[in-house]
Amino acid sequence: MTELILALDVTDKKQALKIAEACAPHLDAIKLGYPLILSSGLSIAGELEELDKPLIADFKVADIPNTNKLIAEQVFDAGFSSIICHGFIGADAIRACVDVAADYGGACFVVAEMSHPGATAFFHGGTAEKIAALAVECEADGIIAPATRPERVTILREIVGRRKILSPGVGAQGGDASTVAKLVDGIIVGRAIYEAKDPVTAITEFSAARTA
């Protein structure tokens, strides 16, 4: 079954913990990005540990190899299971994240193409395809590809084969859960859940859609 991943991009720590606890029974993983980490610190990973859900560090790491290594080590030391890095930084910088993830028994996902409209300016024209191929070459665990453009996911799937594809953009950005769930290993939903009047009801609807 396609995994359901919550993008917990709220900036209030208490609200984040409340939403995560309520939604956890319906989730396969929780993705934390800069909004929550900058407001609450990496230590929030430890506070979410009791929910027993894998935590994905969505830092879209994009620096030189040594800096990437230092960032990744901090992420996994804090208790995260996976890290996301950019792919345009090149093989050596990707491998820095992949190697640290492997050392910790975790996973590394490479952004092949982003989900917002502006991404088409630079990720198209063969760029996303090159990044996906580079992710395979660097032995990353998978890629990030846009739920907002299922046709692009199909193309990138041909390149990465059985490696995982996690797909953001479901819900608020317009990606359809039932459509993209047939193409990927995990759908990522954020605002459509955490901004809903009843996040639990919203998440159960997305949970049902991924098996439709």
Side-chain angles (χ1 to χ4, degrees), residues 42 69-80 104:
L42 279 171
K69 174 180 178 289
L70 296 174
I71 292 171
E73 287 173 345
Q74 291 292 312
V75 163
F76 287 105
D77 281 339
F80 285 85
Y104 281 82

Side-chain angles (χ1 to χ4, degrees), residues 141-179:
D141 296 272
I143 64 168
I144 306 297
T148 48
R149 292 182 286 277
E151 71 284 359
R152 297 289 299 152
V153 176
T154 300
I155 291 170
L156 296 175
R157 170 61 79 189
E158 293 179 359
I159 297 171
V160 301
R162 294 185 178 181
R163 293 179 192 271
K164 285 190 174 183
I165 298 180
L166 305 185
S167 197
V170 173
Q173 291 189 61
D176 179 71
S178 58
T179 298

Side-chain angles (χ1 to χ4, degrees), residues 176-188:
D176 179 71
S178 58
T179 298
V180 77
K182 298 179 177 67
L183 307 172
V184 302
D185 301 279
I187 58 172
I188 301 172

Side-chain angles (χ1 to χ4, degrees), residues 9 33-34 39 43 51 72 81 90 94 109 115-116 118 121 131 135 141 144 153 164 172 176 179 182-183 199 205:
D9 290 329
Y34 288 120
S39 65
S43 61
L51 299 179
S81 300
I94 292 173
F109 294 92
S115 55
H116 62 295
I131 293 174
D141 296 272
I144 306 297
V153 176
K164 285 190 174 183
D176 179 71
T179 298
K182 298 179 177 67
L183 307 172
E205 292 174 356

